[in-house]
Amino acid sequence: MKPIAVVALGGNALLRRGDAPSFQNQLANIKIAAVAIAEIAKEYRVAIVHGNGPQVGLISLQNLSYKDVAPYPLDVLGAESEGMIGYMLAQELQNVMPHSEVSTILTRIEVDSQDPSMLDPTKFVGPVYNEDEAGLLAEANNWIMKRDGDYVRRVVPSPKPMSILDRSSINTLLGSGHIVICCGGGGIPVCKSDHGYIGVEGVIDKDLSATLLAKQLKADKLLILTDADAVYLDWGTENQRALHRTTPEELSQYSFAAGSMGPKVEAVTDFALSGGKAYIGALEHGLDVLAERSGTCVSLMKAACHLKV
């Protein structure tokens, strides 16, 4: 049986920073992703986890337009975005691989309702704004805004994933040869209550969910594809430099932005510490990243990565 690769697609890889959040722009990037994943699927059983930051933020803006209806909570909006992006990915993958089985699972993930992020939001959602636009929206909607590179974006709570409730279905489909789209947007956050599971107001980071999924599936590789071609030190400065081969120990010496590269580095570090090999790279170079010809390779020993630079 083929080995397992968990492929995490960033919400910003599917909708680039600064792009209009249109269906056409998302579809163009999803077509690129489908081609890259189709190549990977020739050698691996593939589970795809996708981000939803730009998309769920857009849906929440649309949600606010209904003045006489109370806004839907973030867990429900996350489920909506998971279905939307999952449908688009499944359709384009099937177009590229017409003889393959592709399944999308709306995935519930247990979190702690008292997670510290509920008081200190860090997860970027929605489109990017300039300073003036961000200030007006923050005041009008009681949002928290933080800088994301050259832009400003809304941030929301991002509780850490504890358990994937639908992992049995994911395992069954992978075992049957399906390409599985799951844990979309990090999954739908739920927590235990006296009356069963209930939704949590937040958005789970998809990279952390992808790592949890990879560990539970005992995957061979974890691949995080985004709009950055590698992990960089001193990002955005004249001294920026890419890390092509690295280890969890080396990465622990540096700090990375909490709302963007930070969770990705945390995710690949966690998976590498479990004995797997993890990668971060650009969406359009997915197969090259997995083949260690591009991007950043993370493992317990640098020698285990064979990246050509």
Side-chain angles (χ1 to χ4, degrees), residues 74 124 256:
L74 277 172
F124 289 115
F256 300 90

Side-chain angles (χ1 to χ4, degrees), residues 123 158-159 161 185-186 203-210 258-260 263-264:
K123 176 64 177 174
S158 183
V203 176
I204 304 172
D205 189 275
K206 70 97 181 38
D207 299 312
L208 302 185
S209 292
S260 53
K264 296 174 177 57

